[in-house]
Amino acid sequence: MSTHTNAAPDIKAKHRAMWALGDYPSVAADVIAALGPSLVEACGIKAGDRVLDVAAGSGNASIPAARLGAAVVASDLTPELLESGRREAESLGLTLDWREADAEALPYAVDEFDAVISCVGVMFAPHHQASADELVRVLRPGGTLGLINWTPEGFIGQMFATMKPYAPPPPAGAQPPPLWGNEEHVRALLGDRVTEVVARRERLTVDCFDTAEQFRDFFKACYGPTIAVYRAIADDPERVAALDRELAELGRRHDRGDGTMEWEYLLLTAVKK
């Protein structure tokens, strides 16, 4: 089990606070809702499976898995997101185990789950190898690992690249989240502990923003990482205005001309040896 939690509690506290900013459940429900069911389908999750969703947020993939009759543990570092997911699940008559947990030090036994999944979640844990080791550790031999992560070249990867010059430097040892969207990087993290690796780049069609400015303002209001960057430069109006322009331009570049965008992600599944 990783020791990073004890070694860097400040990083964890900052991550927890960042994801509690704004309204990530609205991002999950209104913008990227299709990703969770896609991941669950790709993993072949079925009734009776014991499933762990790592960095589950408000349950974008956990709830679709539970709807199929799986026994789901939804784990996340941020209790506010878990509470939102719990309320949504209860409104649907579903029972899940919502558990505050660190992706780099999961409180579960070796070989405990039939499937371990993460939908644009584990990619944000700062130490990639520690997280990957935990994903594999708690998965039983023959079980399925399933991941959806934003690619560096896709829209969200480029959004992070746009924000980077305005953001405080990352903590020592922290790796960029979009690296999890690079197939070679993920294969290297998993190593020879898995087999039957299937990786493909897919695109999510996003049609909920009428203008590039609407996209920008939604993320400024709802998406924790974007909110955190703007807070870091709040006392510099020129930098705020510059980032406003760059994010709007990013949205315009990705607009297909009909008010829709396509956001690229990597869908990867593997089987533990």
Side-chain angles (χ1 to χ4, degrees):
M1 188 173 288
S2 167
T3 60
H4 283 294
T5 300
N6 294 327
D10 288 347
I11 298 176
K12 305 300 178 176
K14 288 178 180 178
H15 271 246
R16 184 182 293 112
M18 179 183 71
W19 286 106
L21 295 172
D23 186 6
Y24 184 75
S26 287
V27 179
D30 300 336
V31 185
I32 64 169
L35 294 184
S38 294
L39 180 59
V40 169
E41 180 180 5
C43 292
I45 291 171
K46 61 187 184 303
D49 284 349
R50 182 154 171 76
V51 177
L52 174 65
D53 186 2
V54 177
S58 51
N60 181 260
S62 302
I63 289 173
R67 275 179 158 156
L68 295 175
V72 180
V73 177
S75 69
D76 198 274
L77 196 62
T78 304
E80 291 88 345
L81 298 184
L82 295 173
E83 183 56 36
S84 176
R86 182 183 291 109
R87 291 194 300 267
E88 173 66 15
E90 288 176 354
S91 75
L92 298 170
L94 298 172
T95 300
L96 295 80
D97 182 2
W98 300 91
R99 186 74 61 88
E100 186 175 342
D102 179 358
E104 297 178 3
L106 295 169
Y108 300 107
V110 174
D111 303 344
E112 187 167 342
F113 295 94
D114 301 306
V116 175
I117 62 176
S118 186
C119 183
V120 295
V122 74
M123 65 184 292
F124 293 102
H127 307 100
H128 295 187
Q129 191 63 64
S131 299
D133 291 348
E134 287 293 87
L135 295 176
V136 175
R137 181 183 67 81
V138 301
L139 180 64
R140 68 165 175 80
T144 299
L145 173 65
L147 305 169
I148 282 181
N149 294 306
W150 303 117
T151 66
E153 303 82 6
F155 181 79
I156 296 295
Q158 289 302 298
M159 186 182 77
F160 275 93
T162 300
M163 295 191 300
K164 183 177 179 179
Y166 300 89
Q175 294 174 277
L179 274 179
W180 275 93
N182 177 282
E183 178 183 346
E184 291 72 26
H185 180 70
V186 180
R187 283 180 176 270
L189 293 174
L190 300 175
D192 61 2
R193 298 171 293 181
V194 299
T195 185
E196 298 179 42
V197 177
V198 177
R200 60 180 187 268
R201 292 182 179 229
E202 301 280 2
R203 292 178 181 270
L204 172 71
T205 298
V206 176
D207 59 2
C208 51
F209 304 116
D210 294 331
T211 66
E213 288 76 15
Q214 187 181 13
F215 138 72
R216 178 198 66 205
D217 293 344
F218 178 84
F219 270 68
K220 284 178 68 173
C222 296
Y223 193 60
T226 305
I227 297 169
V229 171
Y230 272 97
R231 285 190 175 185
I233 60 173
D235 60 351
D236 190 336
E238 289 186 4
R239 297 193 80 200
V240 170
L243 182 54
D244 277 347
R245 290 192 298 271
E246 290 189 36
L247 287 177
E249 178 56 32
L250 175 72
R252 278 189 285 275
R253 287 201 307 271
H254 283 80
D255 190 323
R256 299 192 303 181
D258 59 358
T260 65
M261 295 186 281
E262 289 190 336
W263 296 2
E264 186 183 68
Y265 60 90
L266 181 72
L267 172 59
L268 183 143
T269 58
V271 175
K272 181 175 174 178
K273 290 182 178 178

